[in-house]
Amino acid sequence: MQIGVLTGGGDCAGLNAALRAVVRMAGHELDRNVVGYRRGWNGVLDGDTVTLDAEAMRGVLPRGGTMLGTSRSSRRLETEGPAPLIAQLERDGVEALVTIGGDGTLITAGRLSDAGFPVVAVPKTIDNDVCGTDICIGFDTALGVATEAVDRLHTTAESHNRIMVLEVMGRDAGHIAAGAGIAGGAAAVLVPEVPFNIDEIAARLIARHDRDRNASIVVVAEGAIPDSSVETPDTGSDEWGNRVLDGMGQFVGDLLAERTGFDTRTTVLGYIQRGGPPTPADRLLGSRLGARAVEVLMEGQSGCLVGVHSTGIAHPPLDEVAGRTRYLSADQLELLDYISTAPVLTRHSPSRRWF
């Protein structure tokens, strides 16, 4: 069996570990090199390949990003479907494909599988919002970066009696914001799952400072949206029809400064969350999932995702996970409500006590 591999969508730490595991497992079990496609699906369409063997993977474990390069989906796939992909894969002698990516990559992989081509998907995204897995490659590294930023903002906020707003990534799900907010002890966390009330948050922060708490950290996911307490800014749409995520952290910071009268500063963490060396956890996860993807193909399975489920690895069908978003769970939102000064949920009936 000749196996191909690609990385699609946004980059993140841990991708090279997954690529390395695919190559090593294929070499060990199949005695075959792997066909790597540069620039994601666009590389498949163009036949842009590189031979991946053990020597090519030397030294990649500590490197962030992806050695194959990546890209978003192609308009050509929207109009022509999977046919040109299958034609090129067959020309390249590739009999099965491992795709490493997030939601967009999963959707295309699902279409490829529906057309009869063997494919196994490996989940990666710092947003950690892929269904069918407890955790995605890249999330642990991004969460560590965001938590360190919260830690660093605490000391400067306390020195100047300020509100510090930190904007982190998270379009549809607030896993990074929630994780960094809890781990870093933020006063408020705004996530896409629950529209926020800026007046209530401001009132809670004023009350906090009246209790001689001379600093507050507010973590804002870039995809957070307000409720009817304030009009959502119109930032336009991209070529795919998605809302452009631009400036929610600054928007929240300006509103809080206006409503509280406190000196407020906003930091946008941006692509720092994607870059740099992967944590040991992401290296281990990438290695584990990459190797398992090859094993699944060798076992005659395909059309599935290899994802972490509890302490094991599950193989949910692609048609059950592609195009779906893994949001923060109810108990995660409830935990945020308990540990934050400002409420996450406007109304809730606690089902448990955390402390």
Side-chain angles (χ1 to χ4, degrees):
M1 179 188 296
Q2 180 81 339
I3 293 176
V5 65
L6 63 84
T7 53
D11 72 298
C12 67
L15 289 173
N16 289 322
L19 291 171
R20 177 178 179 271
V22 169
V23 171
R24 284 184 169 269
M25 182 61 73
H28 179 72
E29 296 295 333
L30 300 174
D31 194 27
R32 290 284 189 94
N33 295 330
V34 171
V35 177
Y37 285 95
R38 298 186 180 97
R39 302 177 291 109
W41 295 112
N42 288 321
V44 179
L45 289 172
D46 297 337
D48 187 1
T49 65
V50 58
T51 298
L52 299 180
D53 55 18
E55 183 62 30
M57 308 312 294
R58 189 179 301 276
V60 303
L61 273 175
R63 288 171 51 188
T66 165
M67 63 176 293
L68 287 179
T70 185
S71 66
R72 301 293 183 181
S73 188
S74 169
R75 283 293 186 192
R76 185 178 170 189
L77 296 179
E78 297 298 317
T79 58
E80 299 183 41
L85 294 174
I86 295 174
Q88 186 60 52
L89 289 165
E90 291 177 345
R91 282 194 291 269
D92 295 332
V94 172
E95 302 166 71
L97 186 67
V98 175
T99 67
I100 310 172
D103 185 56
T105 304
L106 284 178
I107 291 173
T108 302
R111 292 170 180 167
L112 198 65
S113 176
D114 290 342
F117 195 88
V119 57
V120 171
V122 175
K124 70 87 207 163
T125 170
I126 68 169
D127 287 351
N128 204 36
D129 61 353
V130 172
C131 286
T133 184
D134 295 342
I135 190 167
C136 299
I137 297 170
F139 173 66
D140 187 73
T141 302
L143 178 60
V145 172
T147 302
E148 181 182 357
V150 174
D151 292 343
R152 290 179 178 275
L153 287 174
H154 269 295
T155 56
T156 184
E158 291 163 358
S159 298
H160 295 275
N161 193 28
R162 284 174 173 159
I163 295 174
M164 288 289 190
V165 177
L166 176 67
E167 180 187 298
V168 299
M169 287 185 171
R171 170 177 289 276
D172 299 309
H175 295 283
I176 295 177
I182 293 171
V189 180
L190 312 185
V191 294
E193 287 88 341
V194 182
F196 61 87
N197 185 292
I198 196 66
D199 296 317
E200 189 168 1
I201 292 171
R204 295 295 186 96
L205 294 179
I206 290 172
R208 170 185 167 85
H209 283 238
D210 287 345
R211 298 194 303 268
D212 295 324
R213 300 305 299 272
N214 65 334
S216 294
I217 307 297
V218 179
V219 180
V220 180
E222 61 182 348
I225 55 172
D227 62 11
S228 58
S229 61
V230 65
E231 185 177 351
T232 304
D234 182 7
T235 53
S237 302
D238 63 17
E239 61 176 317
W240 304 100
N242 298 314
R243 177 169 65 101
V244 173
L245 303 180
D246 183 22
M248 184 52 67
Q250 189 64 56
F251 177 70
V252 169
D254 291 343
L255 290 174
L256 290 177
E258 174 187 310
R259 283 161 169 73
T260 65
F262 297 141
D263 191 10
T264 304
R265 296 288 188 274
T266 298
T267 298
V268 180
L269 205 50
Y271 287 93
I272 292 173
Q273 296 159 92
R274 289 193 184 278
T279 60
D282 269 328
R283 299 182 201 192
L284 289 169
L285 180 62
S287 299
R288 187 182 182 193
L289 296 184
R292 184 58 187 150
V294 175
E295 289 179 332
V296 167
L297 287 171
M298 291 171 54
E299 292 166 1
Q301 300 183 61
S302 65
C304 62
L305 173 106
V306 288
V308 176
H309 180 69
S310 186
T311 58
I313 296 179
H315 315 133
L318 283 171
D319 59 11
E320 293 183 5
V321 298
R324 298 178 59 194
T325 299
R326 178 176 172 269
Y327 298 105
L328 287 168
S329 63
D331 61 337
Q332 286 174 309
L333 289 171
E334 187 176 305
L335 175 59
L336 277 178
D337 228 22
Y338 276 107
I339 60 89
S340 298
T341 299
V344 174
L345 303 176
T346 54
R347 290 191 302 244
H348 68 287
S349 299
S351 58
R352 63 183 64 79
R353 289 188 179 276
W354 291 94
F355 306 109

